[in-house]
Amino acid sequence: MAPHKEQIEIGRGYKEKYGFHVEEKSVFKSKRGLDHGVIDQISDHKNEPDWMREFRHKALDIFLAKPMPTWGGDLTHMNFDEIYYYLKPAEHKGDTWEDVPEEIKRTFDKLGIPESEQKFLAGSGAQYESESVYHKLKDEWESRGVIFSDTDSALREHEDILKKYFATIVPPNDNKFAALNSAVWSGGSFLYVPPGVKVDLPLQAYFRINAKNVGQFERTLLICDEGAQAHYVEGCTAPSYSTDSLHAAVVEVVVKQGGRFRYTTIQNWSSNVYNLVTKRAQAFKDSTMEWVDANLGSKLTMKYPSIYLMEPGARGDILSVACAGKNQHQDAGGKVVHVAPHTSSHILSKSVSQNGGRSSYRGLVKVYPKCKDVKVNVCCDALIMDKDSRSDTYPYMEIDEKNVNIGHEATVSKIGDEQLFYLRSRGLSEEQANSMIVSGFIEPIVKELPMEYAVEMNRLIQLQMEGSVG
Amino acid sequence: MGKELLKIENLHIRVEENEIIQGLDLTVREGEVHAVMGPNGSGKSTLAYTLMGRPGYEITKGSVCFDGQDIREMEPEERAQAGLFLSFQYPIAIPGVTVGHFLMTALAALSEKGNGRYKEIRKTFRKDIKKYMEGLKIDPAFAQRYLNDGFSGGEKKRMEILQLLTLQPKLAIMDETDSGLDIDALKVVSQGVSEYLVQNPKASALVITHYQRILNHLKPHFVHILSKGKIISSGGPELAIKLENEGYRAFGIEDREPGPQPEGGIHGTT
């Protein structure tokens, strides 16, 4: 198969299921590019308190002052002046699915969003362009004091809780894209789980970009109070356009004493989206924080979910899986920062590069002085499907304490002709054999997903594999 | 006499720059068990891989017909579809893929091409596989283990026979199935192959081996001695006995390995 054809085939698979778009209808759209005037427009539309407006303006100055990162992926084609930073799709957010505007509803129906809410979720939210269009928490959890809403609503309705944590975990000056998000943030999820409440079904948010050249800058803040438990899942897709879009989110998570929180991402942006996201969690005494981070889509992803282990007994787990296909670069990984003694962490990263794609593992393990009895285990495996594809590993270690136990292993394997032949001799086509080998390779991470997502994940992998065999 | 199932004429095979098989003729009819015996380097595994369509094994001359079809240009999966099966000398591990899932996927792949036979097999798959595993003395927990991942040599060979029994091909090519097996394991594995042959009276087996001992269990109708890419002698089971007693030297073949394999010995051959 000629390389040209492969590209079309892959695009077609995505396009039918996710890459479609509907006519753009918005009630407000800022001009292209970003300045303090745009910030004021956003703030005006949201009717925000003054402290948030000031926060945005300061963040914009930081963004403008910070140089573009020169490490990681290639950002030289990123043109900030081409982007629309705020696009308000509807006048009001829907409280019931019926209230959501028709075109938007059709989009999410097609993506299966309301259906999954009924089946296996404790609550769900949907964001379209810049604003959340729907958020719903099942009554059972609402009556137990759980708050699950979009972040703008939380600012209006729960300002005190939000203000206490907002930007304390990822401050605007953390990096250029965190500053950008802080300046123009809109939407995202806010979750508060009260002490001792265990939400046993996942809470889901789905993010969708529909219009061309739009930036999506959701801001998510999740607080898991003492002894509480919850699992938050996010998914995202966009139409396949020839021009670039930008997704720069900030996610902050706090897990208090004895809490247990898991954050799962299935990122499946179309291959014209720059996905530059800062995700960070703080885990306190005897708590557990887990990131399950799957990156399948986007043009370039730079994302390293991190966990700060703040107090003894805290545990952090990062499971990262990245699949890079044609014209894709997944620069993913994870960071664990041990600020306290008697803390442990584990990073498992699996990456697949195919069809000329590039995946990089970038990870940091940092142990502060006097943090005794720290255990860290890092394992990164890369699978390279063909000679045009590439995989790199950048493991950074900053260990300032002697009494620690650090394990690190990395493997790189090429898909074996022997494995392929073995499976084909049993009747599987080359495509099926490839996809079976890849599914098996990422199985240790997929098996951590709730069943519905595991099925979805395997289906997505198959979609990505289709037509990729030359 | 049964119908011709496999007909190989004047076969020449090149792997990289070397001509490994140099003019081989062999006909296997329905319901027959053939043994191809030869020392290391005689071309046994090359023949097996080529019949299954392994990339890189190039037929430069001659013809191979299976069940009336010229299979020379067919992909491995198309050959599997036609009813060929290769039991690997060194089965390959597929980490993360359970034995159960793999078998179901293989059956689904075979039956989606419209072959009614496999649709029938799928109907009773779960019940049958349990029975087969019991017969092969495979712990039922293996259905949930990753295919060949961390399996011992003997476990891998049993897994090949489990696949043979599940997929029910028309011709089973057994590539050194006896290597690396102790006496008990050899017996279990051979019984498995026999069961497949009893279940499918028209099915045939091509048993490729260095040593005679598996033939005590599998009872070939025909034995062929392979040397330097050619069959130099063909006959009945007595040929295997002669080989067992007198060694490859009796056939004028220089065997780099000494004598027959000691009973019960664990012997990896390449």
Side-chain angles (χ1 to χ4, degrees):
Chain A
M1 211 182 279
H4 178 61
K5 183 139 180 250
E6 288 169 20
Q7 194 176 6
I8 293 168
E9 300 257 327
I10 289 177
R12 195 186 291 150
Y14 188 93
K15 200 161 188 166
E16 280 165 2
K17 183 77 183 161
Y18 311 104
F20 66 91
H21 67 275
V22 297
E23 195 192 334
E24 181 189 329
K25 280 186 189 166
S26 54
V27 295
F28 175 75
K29 188 176 185 178
S30 66
K31 62 173 189 178
R32 281 182 198 265
L34 184 57
D35 55 27
H36 284 282
V38 171
I39 299 288
D40 277 326
Q41 282 180 331
I42 296 173
S43 239
D44 288 345
H45 269 275
K46 293 178 179 294
N47 199 14
E48 289 174 338
D50 288 341
W51 68 268
M52 186 57 81
R53 186 185 295 256
E54 279 166 33
F55 172 84
R56 290 179 184 277
H57 281 296
K58 278 186 194 155
L60 178 60
D61 290 333
I62 296 168
F63 167 70
L64 295 171
K66 272 196 186 286
M68 199 70 146
T70 51
W71 52 274
D74 178 8
L75 292 167
T76 53
H77 299 288
M78 171 92 248
N79 187 349
F80 290 112
D81 298 331
E82 285 294 309
I83 304 277
Y84 296 99
Y85 287 85
Y86 182 63
L87 199 161
K88 189 176 181 181
E91 206 55 63
H92 300 289
K93 179 171 69 86
D95 290 323
T96 67
W97 193 244
E98 283 66 42
D99 296 342
V100 177
E102 198 53 40
E103 311 83 39
I104 300 177
K105 199 158 58 182
R106 268 206 301 275
T107 295
F108 285 112
D109 278 341
K110 203 168 165 184
L111 297 165
I113 303 309
E115 206 186 310
S116 52
E117 178 193 323
Q118 285 156 15
K119 280 188 194 156
F120 64 94
L121 296 173
S124 79
Q127 177 159 346
Y128 194 79
E129 320 290 21
S130 301
E131 295 284 355
S132 167
V133 290
Y134 175 75
H135 241 96
K136 180 78 185 150
L137 178 68
K138 284 190 179 154
D139 295 344
E140 180 193 351
W141 302 110
E142 205 170 326
S143 67
R144 296 178 67 180
V146 177
I147 303 167
F148 184 53
S149 74
D150 65 281
T151 309
D152 295 280
S153 301
L155 178 58
R156 286 191 298 272
E157 293 157 22
H158 306 281
E159 188 181 342
D160 49 336
I161 312 181
L162 182 133
K163 198 174 175 182
K164 186 174 167 192
Y165 298 101
F166 188 87
T168 59
I169 299 141
V170 180
N173 59 6
D174 188 81
N175 66 73
K176 189 171 177 75
F177 293 94
L180 175 62
N181 175 282
S182 300
V184 296
W185 76 267
S186 183
S189 297
F190 175 83
L191 173 69
Y192 173 75
V193 188
V197 175
K198 297 182 165 90
V199 185
D200 52 8
L201 291 171
L203 297 146
Q204 178 187 274
Y206 199 97
F207 296 88
R208 176 78 181 174
I209 298 175
N210 178 63
K212 271 186 192 179
N213 297 109
V214 156
Q216 192 174 62
F217 306 97
E218 86 267 14
R219 180 99 193 182
T220 289
L221 175 59
L222 312 167
I223 300 141
C224 183
D225 215 325
E226 292 185 5
Q229 282 185 20
H231 181 188
Y232 174 86
V233 185
E234 63 170 0
C236 45
T237 56
S240 317
Y241 290 123
S242 54
T243 54
D244 296 330
S245 297
L246 170 62
H247 175 252
V250 166
V251 174
E252 300 176 283
V253 181
V254 181
V255 194
K256 295 205 175 172
Q257 182 171 347
R260 187 179 185 100
F261 195 79
R262 174 177 282 199
Y263 190 118
T264 296
T265 303
I266 298 178
Q267 181 271 107
N268 191 25
W269 293 117
S270 52
S271 55
N272 55 304
V273 175
Y274 284 94
N275 184 44
L276 311 164
V277 172
T278 309
K279 288 185 163 160
R280 191 171 301 158
Q282 289 181 345
F284 291 88
K285 193 171 183 341
D286 299 329
S287 70
T288 299
M289 172 66 204
E290 300 165 318
W291 293 105
V292 180
D293 200 49
N295 293 294
L296 301 167
S298 83
K299 174 181 191 162
L300 167 67
T301 283
M302 289 171 68
K303 176 165 50 141
Y304 325 97
S306 59
I307 304 173
Y308 281 66
L309 299 137
M310 308 297 289
E311 292 177 351
R315 179 177 167 82
D317 258 304
I318 301 172
L319 303 177
S320 169
V321 55
C323 298
K326 197 176 192 79
N327 301 324
Q328 285 187 300
H329 183 184
Q330 307 283 13
D331 200 85
K335 302 181 192 177
V336 286
V337 180
H338 291 258
V339 185
H342 313 294
T343 48
S344 62
S345 63
H346 174 223
I347 300 177
L348 172 62
S349 160
K350 296 250 176 191
S351 74
V352 180
S353 313
Q354 58 161 333
N355 234 359
R358 179 179 175 192
S359 54
S360 318
Y361 167 79
R362 194 178 297 276
L364 170 71
V365 175
K366 187 170 174 68
V367 180
Y368 275 88
K370 293 181 184 163
C371 292
K372 291 183 178 17
D373 186 30
V374 161
K375 287 191 187 72
V376 183
N377 186 25
V378 180
C379 176
C380 35
D381 300 330
L383 182 64
I384 303 175
M385 304 289 286
D386 51 62
K387 61 174 176 24
D388 302 326
S389 302
R390 176 175 168 186
S391 169
D392 308 280
T393 306
Y394 307 96
Y396 298 92
M397 297 265 179
E398 298 170 15
I399 315 294
D400 295 322
E401 164 63 39
K402 276 187 192 142
N403 184 10
V404 292
N405 187 343
I406 314 275
H408 177 91
E409 54 181 299
T411 65
V412 178
S413 40
K414 295 199 162 66
I415 200 147
D417 290 342
E418 287 196 328
Q419 283 184 323
L420 275 181
F421 175 58
Y422 187 62
L423 293 178
R424 293 177 73 191
S425 80
R426 300 305 187 242
L428 277 69
S429 68
E430 190 172 354
E431 204 169 285
Q432 287 171 322
N434 265 313
S435 127
M436 179 175 263
I437 293 166
V438 171
S439 298
F441 176 74
I442 61 170
E443 166 68 13
I445 292 176
V446 171
K447 76 174 183 207
E448 293 297 321
L449 299 174
M451 204 253 288
E452 290 79 3
Y453 296 100
V455 170
E456 173 74 356
M457 181 81 179
N458 276 320
R459 215 182 51 71
L460 289 175
I461 298 277
Q462 259 159 30
L463 195 68
Q464 222 191 33
M465 305 296 301
E466 267 170 33
S468 67
V469 176
Chain B
M1 251 206 288
K3 198 179 102 187
E4 277 178 3
L5 189 57
L6 176 71
K7 192 173 176 66
I8 302 173
E9 285 179 311
N10 190 29
L11 183 66
H12 292 250
I13 303 170
R14 191 162 61 195
V15 182
E16 289 165 357
E17 292 307 305
N18 308 311
E19 189 165 62
I20 310 286
I21 298 292
Q22 308 171 2
L24 183 142
D25 296 272
L26 179 68
T27 301
V28 179
R29 292 171 189 277
E30 283 180 343
E32 291 177 353
V33 176
H34 287 244
V36 173
M37 304 185 71
N40 292 340
S42 57
K44 298 192 301 293
S45 286
T46 298
L47 177 63
Y49 281 146
T50 306
L51 289 176
M52 203 64 233
R54 182 171 181 152
Y57 288 65
E58 193 195 345
I59 296 176
T60 52
K61 211 173 172 187
S63 66
V64 184
C65 271
F66 178 71
D67 209 12
Q69 293 184 78
D70 180 353
I71 62 167
R72 284 176 299 180
E73 297 296 318
M74 280 162 72
E75 301 290 344
E77 57 270 30
E78 292 169 331
R79 298 179 196 218
Q81 177 64 35
L84 263 173
F85 178 89
L86 171 61
S87 171
F88 281 61
Q89 185 183 359
Y90 301 109
I92 314 294
I94 313 288
V97 177
T98 64
V99 169
H101 175 67
F102 163 70
L103 286 172
M104 273 199 289
T105 309
L107 271 179
L110 290 169
S111 59
E112 99 192 348
K113 303 270 154 58
N115 190 325
R117 239 159 69 77
Y118 293 110
K119 289 206 176 89
E120 284 305 307
I121 296 172
R122 280 177 87 183
K123 280 186 191 160
T124 53
F125 167 69
R126 279 172 195 284
K127 206 176 72 208
D128 291 342
I129 191 175
K130 245 184 176 165
K131 190 181 72 191
Y132 299 144
M133 287 175 85
E134 223 175 274
L136 291 165
K137 299 193 163 59
I138 299 173
D139 185 332
F142 269 67
Q144 290 310 312
R145 284 189 55 183
Y146 298 148
L147 182 63
N148 296 328
D149 194 19
F151 290 14
S152 71
E155 287 165 347
K156 285 182 185 172
K157 291 295 170 73
R158 284 173 213 221
M159 211 38 76
E160 293 296 284
I161 308 306
L162 178 63
Q163 294 176 40
L164 170 68
L165 286 164
T166 309
L167 302 179
Q168 310 240 337
K170 291 177 185 163
L171 174 67
I173 305 162
M174 315 300 299
D175 187 10
E176 309 239 10
T177 296
D178 50 342
S179 73
L181 293 183
D182 62 28
I183 291 183
D184 294 335
L186 181 64
K187 207 168 154 188
V188 168
V189 162
S190 306
Q191 274 167 359
V193 181
S194 303
E195 193 188 332
Y196 148 75
L197 291 170
V198 170
Q199 272 185 18
N200 302 274
K202 282 186 173 175
S204 312
L206 187 60
V207 182
I208 292 174
T209 179
H210 188 118
Y211 299 106
Q212 190 268 343
R213 58 179 197 151
I214 192 173
L215 305 180
N216 291 334
H217 303 277
L218 285 181
K219 308 266 187 268
H221 304 101
F222 300 95
V223 175
H224 313 274
I225 310 291
L226 186 67
S227 171
K228 294 180 181 155
K230 280 182 188 159
I231 287 177
I232 55 157
S233 182
S234 289
E238 74 283 352
L239 217 55
I241 309 290
K242 181 178 174 189
L243 185 75
E244 171 77 356
N245 294 334
E246 302 170 31
Y248 280 105
R249 285 211 174 88
F251 297 88
I253 301 170
E254 197 62 41
D255 185 12
R256 273 166 291 167
E257 282 189 45
Q261 186 179 16
E263 278 292 293
I266 305 287
H267 219 95
T269 58
T270 51

